[in-house]
Amino acid sequence: MSSLECYKIDLKGLTEAETAFEWDVDDAFFSTLDTTEVQQGSLHVSGSIRKASGFFELLFHVSGTVSIACDRCLDLMDQPIEAGNSLVVKFGSGNPSEDDVIVVDENEGILDCAWLVYETIALAIPIQHVHAPGKCNPAMTHVLEELSADRSGDEESSQAVDPRWEALLKVKSDF
């Protein structure tokens, strides 16, 4: 995990009121985190941490692309990512009751931003990710068309209905 050391911020060592940072996230970042959803990408993270009385305000912006599997053909596709996040960091112990508040042990004083960056990237990915029309794998598209419910429904309608079901179809049509 030594490649993630650059994502750690020493909060106790901050001397200025506001400190800027920049990171480039690549495939090594995702492989070190050992995540399943995103495994490849090229992104730039920029942000700042502002020191205030009793807390720190962490702001960062992520932009670039990640490679994820298309929901339709399962080939990798590039998904553009543009996201930002704003969090409050406090010294203390225990779990905070608020979602946007991170508590850092005062004795340690180190904020690890690697997982925060990954979560921001993962949450920026749309729920459904498919290639643009005509860009999916043609072989997979052909198989999907053959197995599609719409097409198989057309074939079934041309075949004779089992006589045991005719009475049910009649009841259905009466309503």
Side-chain angles (χ1 to χ4, degrees):
M1 289 260 186
S2 61
S3 65
L4 297 180
E5 287 297 317
C6 66
Y7 297 96
K8 294 184 178 180
I9 298 174
D10 182 9
L11 298 176
K12 288 183 170 183
L14 293 178
T15 56
E16 301 175 19
E18 187 167 332
T19 304
F21 56 84
E22 290 189 22
W23 298 304
D24 288 320
V25 175
D26 57 7
D27 297 348
F29 173 81
F30 296 112
S31 65
T32 303
L33 282 179
D34 195 27
T35 61
T36 56
E37 186 174 349
V38 182
Q39 296 177 349
Q40 297 176 345
S42 176
L43 300 113
H44 182 74
V45 179
S46 60
S48 64
I49 188 160
R50 185 176 62 87
K51 186 177 182 179
S53 60
F55 69 94
F56 299 87
E57 183 181 22
L58 175 66
L59 302 169
F60 56 92
H61 180 78
V62 179
S63 62
T65 60
V66 293
S67 295
I68 53 176
C70 173
D71 289 340
R72 191 174 297 139
C73 71
L74 302 179
D75 281 355
L76 285 180
M77 61 174 275
D78 288 337
Q79 176 67 49
I81 299 292
E82 191 79 28
N85 203 353
S86 164
L87 300 166
V88 173
V89 181
K90 293 182 178 182
F91 286 125
S93 61
N95 293 330
S97 60
E98 300 175 37
D99 290 336
D100 291 343
V101 176
I102 298 173
V103 177
V104 174
D105 183 14
E106 192 167 356
N107 295 329
E108 190 176 316
I110 303 291
L111 174 64
D112 188 356
C113 293
W115 193 253
L116 299 173
V117 168
Y118 174 76
E119 285 180 339
T120 302
I121 294 168
L123 290 173
I125 297 172
I127 292 173
Q128 183 180 27
H129 27 87
V130 294
H131 283 106
K135 299 289 183 185
C136 277
N137 181 334
M140 183 64 84
T141 304
H142 178 71
V143 170
L144 287 172
E145 286 173 358
E146 285 181 355
L147 299 174
S148 128
D150 295 336
R151 190 157 186 224
S152 63
D154 293 342
E155 292 170 4
E156 289 175 7
S157 63
S158 64
Q159 296 176 355
V161 177
D162 187 338
R164 296 174 287 184
W165 294 104
E166 285 182 19
L168 289 175
L169 289 174
K170 185 176 187 276
V171 169
K172 181 179 171 185
S173 66
D174 290 342
F175 286 104

